[in-house]
Structures are given as structure tokens and as C-alpha cells.
Amino acid sequence: MKNFAKYPVPELLDQFRNACLAQYDTYLTDDVSKRNKLFDFLLAVTRELKRRGVEERRALLALFADKNPQVRLQAAKSVYSVAPIEAKACLEAIAAAGLPDQSLSAGMTLSRLEEVPSCLDWI
């Protein structure tokens, strides 16, 4: 895994976005192994932003405007603990969009958040 400490926040956001786009492609190719590796990469980027502080992590909110639903989904999950209102609204929009994979994931996340509001705090 890369050492993300040397990267500025805008570059981390670009890497996060690119990993999400690659992850989106794995839903088309059904490459679960690659999807899991990309999840680990996204988690490492998120943890680096978390290490830097709340404002740096909130930079993920900019990805809510992305056209790709996987980018928005992963950004919402990754920023939820520091921006729950915005993240929940994003998850609700994705859940309502009727997308096969991302809507299901967003809906399941929202359901789990109702049961355990802190379920995304580990990220």
C-alpha cells in the first residue's frame, strides 16, 4: 500500500475517485478480488484523511457532485462520521436512483445506520 502522508488532499481525492471508478468497473466484470483490493485502497486513503483531521476528511464531500454513483456511494460512506446529514442525503439519493448495485448498497447502509447509528465510525 502506498504511503499517502506525502500527498496533498486534492491528489488524495483524485486517487480516491479513480479507485472508485475502477471499483465500478469490477461490477461489470465481476472481478471480486480486484474490488476487494480497491476497497482496501479506499480505506487507506480515508484513514489518511482521517489522520489529518476533520476538515481534510470533509474534503470528500466534493465527490458528492461526481456523475459516477460508485464515487458518490464510497464518499458518503467514508465521510459519514464527520458529515452525517450530507452523507445520509447522498445515500438516500443513491438508494432512490434504482441502480442495481449502488442503490442496493446505499439502501442496506441506511438500514444498518437506523439499527446502529455508529456503524460507519470505524472507517
Side-chain angles (χ1 to χ4, degrees):
M1 197 63 56
K2 287 184 178 184
N3 177 7
F4 294 110
K6 64 183 179 178
Y7 292 103
V9 171
E11 191 166 335
L12 289 174
L13 293 180
D14 285 344
Q15 290 194 29
F16 187 96
R17 182 181 183 276
N18 290 336
C20 289
L21 293 173
Q23 196 176 49
Y24 181 80
D25 290 342
T26 66
Y27 286 99
L28 304 173
T29 62
D30 204 30
D31 189 342
V32 176
S33 176
K34 184 175 180 181
R35 187 179 313 140
N36 290 340
K37 287 177 186 171
L38 290 164
F39 175 82
D40 291 340
F41 183 88
L42 292 170
L43 187 58
V45 172
T46 302
R47 287 185 173 158
E48 175 58 27
L49 291 169
K50 181 179 181 179
R51 185 189 69 76
R52 294 182 188 192
V54 171
E55 286 309 310
E56 284 76 5
R57 192 167 178 191
R58 287 180 58 88
L60 289 166
L61 291 170
L63 298 178
F64 286 9
D66 199 274
K67 291 189 289 188
N68 186 279
Q70 186 68 20
V71 174
R72 296 191 311 271
L73 174 68
Q74 292 294 11
K77 288 180 177 182
S78 296
V79 79
Y80 188 87
S81 65
V82 295
I85 294 168
E86 299 95 324
K88 184 176 181 184
C90 184
L91 289 168
E92 289 171 341
I94 296 167
L99 304 164
D101 296 305
Q102 291 76 25
S103 292
L104 177 63
S105 181
M108 290 186 333
T109 300
L110 289 166
S111 178
R112 185 66 179 152
L113 285 165
E114 286 181 20
E115 296 170 3
V116 183
S118 62
C119 70
L120 293 176
D121 287 355
W122 68 274
I123 297 175

